Amino acid sequence: MMTIQHYVRTYIDPSINGASLPFNTTNAQINKGTIITKYGEIEDQVYFLISGIIEIGLLQKDEEKILDFFFPNSFFSSYASFISRTPSDVQITALTMCTVEMIQLKDLLDAYKTSLLANKIGRVETERLYLRRVKREKDLLTKTAEERYLELLESQPYLISQLPVNKIARYLGIHPESLSRIRKQLALSDICQVSGK
Amino acid sequence: MMTIQHYVRTYIDPSINGASLPFNTTNAQINKGTIITKYGEIEDQVYFLISGIIEIGLLQKDEEKILDFFFPNSFFSSYASFISRTPSDVQITALTMCTVEMIQLKDLLDAYKTSLLANKIGRVETERLYLRRVKREKDLLTKTAEERYLELLESQPYLISQLPVNKIARYLGIHPESLSRIRKQLALSDICQVSGK
């Protein structure tokens, strides 16, 4: 189980070994099902996920879509709300019991004024979130639900086994029945490959 | 017409007044129609647009979509390729004659090692690109082509007047005929409003 300091030393700046972070952090345990950031709320925190799974939901007219899932050893936040100080149009939910480490906006902004390391962490993590977004946007434009399901199955088999079908369907932007159909077709094509047909 | 130094002083750090930037930059004039970064190329530069309009294209199977347009006083790049050192799946084209100021990858990475200002510029500009992406992704999920056209018309009237219909249609992800139909309906509803019907 990794803390922010351990993560920064491992992935961002090995030279901080032993030195303290340029901002305060606090730890928290969050119960399964807890809404961490609500729709419309202005995000005041950045979280580091030590253990558990996080869901980012987006309300689209009457339906709730799932924008993203986060897994341990990554930062998460309603980040657009956090950096632009506008109401969050996403909602963050703990899908399982989660352990997190938190950084307050004020502490981070203070550190950004004078700390090279704080700006380096902020830059690198924003780059990672950016790459994630670009990938998701391109996937929505260029891939079918089946292709995206197969990719998720490969990259996050643990997620697929932990989550109910309707959550995965909402993440893929399709009806649960369509996902069941895709799953059946894939199972069928597996059988055909195995039997050489 | 703004340079990077002027932009940084105005929007990122007023205290750099007079001091030099933490990385080298070079200027260039780019002819209309020039492909600045090709599909499959690994991006080695970040550009600052001093004047002109930039198009970011995305090849989707046989069709080319337009992901984004950039206007003066903003940084642009095949940024996902630049930060992840993977082949670009976008193509950058000068839609008009453009004047740009360029930063080389190597110079930026060197500056990131030791310069607070370089990391601050990188962080703030990555935050801006992130917000842009989030907005675009949410728009694709939640807004109709008509709503997105009206928004573009409001935020970038200049763009609409400068670009051919087929470019705008490709940006909205619809057929040019659909865009013509939307335009006619909007013109018709304007007439009805004016005549009080």
Side-chain angles (χ1 to χ4, degrees):
Chain A
M1 300 230 286
M2 217 176 221
T3 61
I4 295 180
Q5 189 171 24
H6 185 187
Y7 174 88
V8 169
R9 197 171 60 223
T10 310
Y11 297 113
I12 301 179
D13 193 341
S15 72
I16 73 149
N17 204 354
S20 63
L21 290 169
F23 38 71
N24 284 326
T25 69
T26 48
N27 281 60
Q29 284 265 340
I30 300 171
N31 287 330
K32 177 177 174 170
T34 304
I35 298 173
I36 299 170
T37 305
K38 290 191 177 63
Y39 291 118
E41 196 177 326
I42 296 179
E43 178 68 89
D44 283 324
Q45 269 130 351
V46 169
Y47 301 84
F48 181 78
L49 188 58
I50 296 174
S51 70
I53 304 178
I54 293 295
E55 170 191 300
I56 313 285
L58 172 68
L59 207 60
Q60 171 184 352
K61 281 147 196 177
D62 292 337
E63 227 182 327
E64 197 182 32
K65 300 246 172 193
I66 297 174
L67 265 187
D68 215 344
F69 297 109
F70 281 85
F71 300 93
N73 302 334
S74 54
F75 285 95
F76 70 92
S77 176
S78 175
Y79 197 54
S81 169
F82 183 82
I83 53 186
S84 66
R85 313 310 299 146
T86 53
S88 175
D89 46 13
V90 298
Q91 182 154 291
I92 305 181
T93 309
L95 280 186
T96 62
M97 159 78 92
C98 291
T99 312
V100 300
E101 196 176 347
M102 296 181 284
I103 311 164
Q104 300 295 326
L105 172 80
K106 199 196 158 296
D107 293 338
L108 191 59
L109 293 186
D110 278 351
Y112 279 162
K113 284 182 203 154
T114 55
S115 162
L116 170 60
L117 179 59
N119 280 284
K120 200 181 267 188
I121 296 170
R123 173 181 62 78
V124 170
E125 290 306 313
T126 309
E127 285 175 1
R128 288 191 183 143
L129 287 173
Y130 179 82
L131 287 179
R132 223 179 149 111
R133 284 287 175 166
V134 167
K135 180 169 177 356
R136 170 123 173 102
E137 181 177 324
K138 283 185 190 149
D139 285 357
L140 282 174
L141 279 169
T142 59
K143 289 181 183 161
T144 64
E146 183 173 334
E147 286 168 331
R148 288 187 290 126
Y149 175 69
L150 281 172
E151 214 174 75
L152 194 65
L153 197 64
E154 248 177 68
S155 66
Q156 304 290 354
Y158 175 74
L159 176 82
I160 303 273
S161 68
Q162 291 279 307
L163 295 181
V165 173
N166 75 323
K167 285 230 174 275
I168 299 167
R170 277 199 279 136
Y171 173 72
L172 296 170
I174 59 177
H175 285 281
E177 297 78 45
S178 308
L179 179 55
S180 297
R181 202 165 45 240
I182 289 172
R183 285 180 149 182
K184 270 180 210 149
Q185 282 166 353
L186 290 173
L188 202 65
S189 83
D190 276 354
I191 293 169
C192 291
Q193 279 177 3
V194 167
S195 67
K197 278 174 200 166
Chain B
M1 300 231 286
M2 217 174 221
T3 62
I4 294 180
Q5 189 171 25
H6 186 186
Y7 174 88
V8 169
R9 198 171 59 223
T10 310
Y11 296 113
I12 299 179
D13 193 340
S15 72
I16 72 149
N17 204 355
S20 63
L21 289 169
F23 37 71
N24 284 328
T25 70
T26 49
N27 282 59
Q29 284 267 340
I30 300 170
N31 287 331
K32 177 177 173 171
T34 304
I35 297 173
I36 300 170
T37 305
K38 289 191 177 65
Y39 291 119
E41 195 178 326
I42 296 179
E43 177 69 90
D44 283 324
Q45 270 129 351
V46 168
Y47 301 85
F48 181 78
L49 187 58
I50 295 174
S51 69
I53 305 179
I54 293 295
E55 171 190 300
I56 314 284
L58 172 68
L59 208 59
Q60 170 184 352
K61 282 147 195 178
D62 292 336
E63 227 182 327
E64 197 183 32
K65 299 246 171 193
I66 297 174
L67 265 188
D68 216 342
F69 297 110
F70 281 84
F71 299 93
N73 303 334
S74 53
F75 286 95
F76 69 92
S77 177
S78 176
Y79 198 53
S81 169
F82 183 82
I83 53 186
S84 67
R85 312 310 300 145
T86 54
S88 176
D89 46 15
V90 299
Q91 182 152 293
I92 304 180
T93 309
L95 281 186
T96 61
M97 160 79 90
C98 291
T99 312
V100 299
E101 196 175 347
M102 297 179 285
I103 311 166
Q104 300 295 328
L105 173 80
K106 199 196 157 296
D107 293 338
L108 191 59
L109 292 186
D110 278 350
Y112 279 162
K113 283 181 205 153
T114 55
S115 162
L116 169 60
L117 181 59
N119 280 283
K120 200 181 267 187
I121 296 169
R123 173 181 61 78
V124 170
E125 290 307 312
T126 309
E127 286 175 0
R128 287 191 183 142
L129 288 173
Y130 178 82
L131 287 178
R132 223 179 149 111
R133 284 289 175 165
V134 167
K135 181 168 176 355
R136 171 122 173 104
E137 182 177 325
K138 283 186 189 146
D139 285 358
L140 282 174
L141 279 169
T142 60
K143 288 181 184 163
T144 64
E146 184 173 334
E147 285 169 330
R148 288 187 289 126
Y149 175 69
L150 282 171
E151 213 175 76
L152 194 65
L153 197 63
E154 248 177 68
S155 66
Q156 305 289 354
Y158 174 74
L159 175 84
I160 304 274
S161 67
Q162 291 279 306
L163 295 180
V165 173
N166 75 324
K167 285 230 175 274
I168 299 167
R170 275 200 279 138
Y171 173 72
L172 296 170
I174 58 177
H175 284 283
E177 297 78 43
S178 308
L179 179 56
S180 298
R181 199 164 48 241
I182 289 172
R183 284 180 149 183
K184 270 181 209 147
Q185 281 165 353
L186 291 172
L188 204 62
S189 82
D190 277 353
I191 292 168
C192 291
Q193 278 176 3
V194 167
S195 66
K197 278 173 200 166

